[in-house]
Amino acid sequence: MVRTRGLGCALGHVTGKGVGRGDRDDSDVAPQRRWPIASTRRQRVPLTATHDEPVLPTPNVEADVFPDDLMTPTDIGVDIPTDTGAQAAEDEHERFPSGPSNPSVLTQYADHVACSECPELKLSFHGRKVHSLGRPVPTIEGLDAGTGLSPLIACSVDTGDRGLLSSFVERWHRETSSFHLPMREVTITLDDVSSLLHLPVVGDLHAFQPLHVDDAVQMLVDLLMVSAEAARAETGQCHGPYVRLQWVRDIYEHRCQAGHWTVAARAYLLHLLGCTLFANKSVTNVHVVYLEALRDLSQTERYAWGVAALVHMYDHLNDASINSSRQLGGYITLLQVTNMFFILCGSTMFNFKFC
C-alpha cells in the first residue's frame, strides 16, 4: 500500500465518498465471479452429474480376408473402456457447495461463517468515546506525544459499516490470515498500520502476561493512585482484571484537577488504548494489564505498538470468522479503512465487482 499522510487525514476523504459502481462495472466484459459467501449461497444452483453409457468404438474393418483357421469369431474381442467417472469421484476430495473444491488448505472451512446463514455482525465501536474525551489537557500533551500513541487520537471514525465488515469477515480465513477476494488474496500488513496510524512497527514486544485480580488491584493502586477498596470494587463489578472505560475517564479528570499529571497521562492513554488498539467485545471495559506498558512513560515509545495492534486485529478476525460468532471486536477503524482501500484499488486495477 502506498504510504499516505495518515489515517487521520485520510478519513475525511475516504468516509466522505461512497463505494459504488462505475458505468464500466456493468459491461459484459467485467468479471462476474462470485466468491463463496453466505450471501451468494442463496443463489446457488445445484448441479447433477450425469453418467453416459460407454460408447463402443467402431471396429476398423479392412478388406483383407483371413483364413478361418487363423481367426475365429470367438477369438475376436473388442476392448470396452471402463467408466472411470465414478472412481474419479470417489478419489476426489470432499468439497463444499460453492466453496473450495480441495479442503486440504482451508481445513477449518466446515466451521466458517461462509458455510452457514449468519446475520450481520455486531460491532464493538468506540469512536464516539475517543471524540467525546477529546485531546489531553495541554500540560500532558508532551507526555502523550512522547509515548508514540498520540496519532490514535485523530484516527477514529464514529460509526462502522456493518455490511462492509461482515462481508469481509466472510472472506477472512484463519489458515492463511488473509481475505480471499475475487481479484486475489489481500491482508492488512505492518506497512498499512505504519502508513495509516503512524505507529512504530519496529521495537520491543511487550509480553502481556495473564493478570490475576489481586495483581490488577495492586497495579491500579500503584499507577492510578486509587484506594485498594475502590480498585477491588471496580474489578469485582467487571468480574475480572478489567475496569470500565467510564471509570478510567473519571480517574483522568480527578487526577487533572489534583495536578497529578503523570497519573492523568496514564489514565488518558489507558482509555485511548481500550478504545482503539485493544478494543474488546465488552464495549465498556479495558484490561488492566496494559497499564504495565505505561508504568514508565519515557520508555513506552520503544514498544512496537503497530505489531501488537495487528496481532490483536487478526485474533478478532479469526474469532469472528467462526459461524457461531455474532460480534466483531478489535480496532474497527483500522479494519474498515483498509477494506475500503481494498475495494477502491481492486475496482480500479482489476475491474471486479464486489458481490
Side-chain angles (χ1 to χ4, degrees), residues 213-214 216-222 224-240 242-244 247-248 250-251 254-255 288:
V213 176
D214 295 337
V217 170
Q218 188 62 42
M219 192 176 296
L220 292 171
V221 173
D222 295 340
L224 293 186
M225 297 178 61
V226 298
S227 64
E229 293 76 13
R232 192 170 289 106
E234 181 63 23
T235 54
Q237 182 175 349
C238 297
H239 306 287
Y242 299 88
V243 291
R244 290 173 294 124
W247 185 82
V248 177
D250 294 339
I251 295 296
H254 293 160
R255 297 301 171 265
V288 181

Side-chain angles (χ1 to χ4, degrees), residues 63-75:
D64 298 337
V65 179
F66 298 93
D68 293 340
D69 57 340
L70 296 179
M71 181 177 293
T72 61
T74 58
D75 297 328

Side-chain angles (χ1 to χ4, degrees), residues 253-261:
E253 294 176 352
H254 293 160
R255 297 301 171 265
C256 287
Q257 295 172 0
H260 299 149
W261 303 118

